[in-house]
Amino acid sequence: MRNQSNDVILRMENIVKCYGSLIANDNVSLHLNRGEILAVIGENGAGKTTLMKVLYGLEHPDKGDIYLNEKKIQIHNAAQAIANGIGMVQQHFMLFDPFTVTENIVYGKEPKKGLFFDLKKANQTISELSRKFDLPLNPTTKIQGMPVGLRQRVEILKVLYQNADIIVFDEPTAVLTPQEVHELLNTMKRLAEAGKSIIIVTHKLNEVMEVADRAMVMRLGKHVAYRNIADTSIEELSFLMVGRHLVETEIPEISPGKDILRITDLCLTRDGAVPILDHISIHVNAGEIVGIAGVSGNGQSDLVQCIFGLQKADSGQILVNGKNVFNCPVKEVRHSGMAMIPEDRFIWGSAAQASIAETAIMGHYEKPSFSKKGFLNIRTIREFAGKLVKEFSVKADSIAQKTSSLSGGNAQKLIVAREIRQNTPILIACEPTRGIDIGAIQFVHDCLVEKRSEGAAVLLVSSELSEILKLSDRIYVIYEGKINGEFKRGNVSEEELGLLMVGSKKL
C-alpha cells in the first residue's frame, strides 16, 4: 500500500459541458491528490470521457474552473495542457510506424545541435528516461512490427518526456494480453510512487480494484460518488454505475448441432510472400459460441474480412450451411445467412453522416421488411430503429440525429443491436463489447447466449479474454496467422491463453 498524500494537485470545479440539449457534464467536480491513482468510471454517456477532454483541452467547458496546485488555469488546447504538466495516453496510439522509438517520443520537441536534430542526445535522453521509470525499450527500434504492449510503453514515455505530472489513461488495457495488463498496472503503481498523479478511465472494475486508490463514479453526466478502493467492492461500484444489481449471465449446457460455418485451409499472403493467414481451419456448429483469442494484428481481422467477403483470400474453402462462399461478394455472403458486428464501429460499422435510422438498416436495407421494388418503407424502418434504441438503451434524442453525434459506446450498442436482431443462422461478433459499460456488456452477453440457445452459431472474436472464457464453448488461439491451440470450455486458463497468444507452444 502506497503512502497517500492529501496534497491536492488538481481540482475541476462545477464543470458543465452541453452539446445542444444534451448535458454531457452537469456541474461535475473532481479532485486528484499528488501521487494518487484515481479511477473515473461510469456507463456510456455518463460524461467521463467528456470530462477528460475538457481537462486535456480537447473540449471547452460551458461553465466551471480548473485549478492546478490551487492556481486557476485556462486550458484551450492540448498544447496548453502539456505546458501545464497534463498528459494523456489515448486508447488509439498516435505513433508513426516508419519512425524509431526515439523519433516518436521527441517529435515536436527535438533536442537540437545548432540548427539540426541531435539524434545522439535524443537517444541518450530516452534511454535514461526508460531506465528511470523501468520501461525498457530500445530507442533505435522502429515502431512498425512492434507489439501493442510496447507501443503503449512508447506512448507513456512520450508523456513522461513532456514532463507530465498528471497522466490520464483512457481505456488503456483494451487490446492487451493478461501479461501486458499486469505490466501496465505495475507501471502505473511505479509512476504514482515516483510522485506522478494518475487518472484511469476504464470499464474494467477488476483492474480498478487492483490499481486505484479511489474511484469517482459518474452517471448521466453527474458525479454520484467517491469511494476509497480499500472500503468498497466490485459489486458496490457496479451498482453505483448502473443503479441496479447485475445478475451474472447463465450459460446452460446444450449439445451443438450441425456445422453452420466450416473454414478449411484458408490462406492469405501479403505481396505474394508474407503469410497473413496460414492454412486456417476452424468450424462453428449450431447452438455453439466459438471464441478466437489473439493479440491484435495476428490475423483475426483478416480472417473475419475474408469470411465476410471484404478481402479476397488466396486459397481455401468457406462453407455456410454447406454453401461455398469463398471470395464471394459481401451481399452474397449476407444472403447466405450471415450477420456481422464489425471490429471498428466507425470504419466498418456505420457512416458518420447517416442518421440513427439509416445506420439501423445498413447492410440489410434490401430485406422485404425494409424495402419493396426499390423503395424504402420509411415507417417500418423508423419503427425498427426506435425499437433497437429502446431495447438496447442507446442514449439518443432522436432516431433522426447523426450517428456521429453518439458516444462511441452508444454507437457500438446500435450496431450490435442491428446485427443481433437479423435472426441469421450465424453471427460473427468482433469486439462486441469494446468501449461499452458493464451494464451494456451484460446485456450484449445475454443476447449472444440467447442466439446460441435459439440454435444459431456465433463466432466471437475478442481481445477481452475474460469474455472469451466466459462465453465460448470452444476456443481457438491465433498467433501469426496460425491456429496455436483449441480448447473446450473450462480446459484452459486466462494465463495459459495469454501465453499462447504471444507464441508459446501448444499446451
Side-chain angles (χ1 to χ4, degrees), residues 18-251:
C18 300
Y19 300 96
S21 60
L22 175 66
I23 304 175
N25 289 155
D26 188 356
N27 283 295
V28 178
S29 296
L30 170 152
H31 76 273
L32 176 69
N33 297 322
R34 192 178 304 278
E36 176 186 45
I37 301 177
L38 173 68
V40 178
I41 60 177
E43 290 187 282
N44 294 122
K48 55 191 185 298
T49 298
T50 301
L51 189 66
M52 293 302 104
K53 286 183 176 180
V54 168
L55 176 61
Y56 197 58
L58 301 177
E59 295 285 1
H60 302 149
D62 301 308
K63 179 186 171 185
D65 301 306
I66 300 175
Y67 295 86
L68 188 64
N69 293 314
E70 298 304 329
K71 180 182 177 181
K72 186 175 176 179
I73 60 171
Q74 300 289 330
I75 303 177
H76 297 293
N77 51 52
Q80 287 184 341
I82 292 167
N84 280 287
I86 301 169
M88 180 179 282
V89 178
Q90 304 201 45
Q91 183 177 351
H92 302 289
F93 305 147
M94 311 292 284
L95 299 174
F96 301 106
D97 277 4
F99 287 11
T100 66
V101 167
T102 290
E103 290 166 342
N104 270 277
I105 291 172
V106 304
Y107 182 80
K109 199 178 178 182
E110 301 90 342
K112 298 290 180 66
K113 191 173 185 178
L115 296 174
F116 300 99
F117 173 32
D118 191 342
L119 180 58
K120 183 178 179 181
K121 182 179 179 181
N123 282 333
Q124 184 180 351
T125 300
I126 299 311
S127 291
E128 292 171 355
L129 196 66
S130 173
R131 285 193 297 270
K132 178 181 177 180
F133 290 99
D134 195 17
L135 293 166
L137 281 170
N138 184 342
T140 61
T141 300
K142 289 192 175 182
I143 299 298
Q144 192 164 15
M146 186 176 281
V148 175
L150 293 185
R151 286 172 179 254
Q152 188 176 64
R153 198 174 291 178
V154 176
E155 289 281 11
I156 296 170
L157 281 173
K158 188 196 301 185
V159 169
L160 293 170
Y161 177 75
Q162 295 165 345
N163 295 316
D165 289 318
I166 296 169
I167 306 174
V168 178
F169 287 87
D170 181 20
E171 297 289 351
T173 64
V175 292
L176 303 183
T177 67
Q179 289 79 8
E180 288 170 333
V181 170
H182 181 70
E183 289 175 10
L184 175 62
L185 298 183
N186 282 339
T187 296
M188 289 185 187
K189 293 173 185 177
R190 289 196 303 272
L191 291 172
E193 288 166 358
K196 303 297 182 183
S197 303
I198 310 292
I199 299 176
I200 174 174
V201 180
T202 182
H203 294 99
K204 300 178 182 180
L205 294 185
N206 58 325
E207 294 170 11
V208 171
M209 298 300 294
E210 181 177 345
V211 77
D213 301 301
R214 283 187 306 132
M216 173 187 173
V217 185
M218 296 184 66
R219 194 191 317 151
L220 299 175
K222 297 182 180 181
H223 154 242
V224 295
Y226 274 111
R227 287 292 184 271
N228 292 321
I229 296 302
D231 303 324
T232 190
S233 64
I234 288 179
E235 290 74 21
E236 182 185 24
L237 292 177
S238 65
F239 176 78
L240 290 169
M241 283 171 58
V242 303
R244 68 184 190 278
H245 291 291
L246 299 177
V247 179
E248 188 70 17
T249 303
E250 290 188 13
I251 305 179

Side-chain angles (χ1 to χ4, degrees), residues 328-399:
C328 287
V330 173
K331 184 177 179 179
E332 190 172 338
V333 176
R334 278 200 180 276
H335 286 172
S336 74
M338 191 182 296
M340 182 175 77
I341 300 166
E343 179 180 9
D344 191 299
R345 50 186 167 251
F346 295 119
I347 294 176
W348 300 104
S350 63
Q353 299 305 308
S355 69
I356 289 174
E358 290 167 337
T359 297
I361 62 164
M362 279 185 181
H364 306 283
Y365 59 89
E366 289 186 327
K367 289 189 173 182
S369 55
F370 297 137
S371 64
K372 187 176 182 181
K373 295 182 179 180
F375 292 94
L376 294 175
N377 187 331
I378 302 301
R379 181 178 176 181
T380 302
I381 292 169
R382 287 174 178 168
E383 289 175 352
F384 178 72
K387 183 180 179 181
L388 293 188
V389 166
K390 182 178 180 181
E391 185 181 358
F392 281 72
S393 300
V394 178
K395 292 183 174 65
D397 294 330
S398 162
I399 60 170

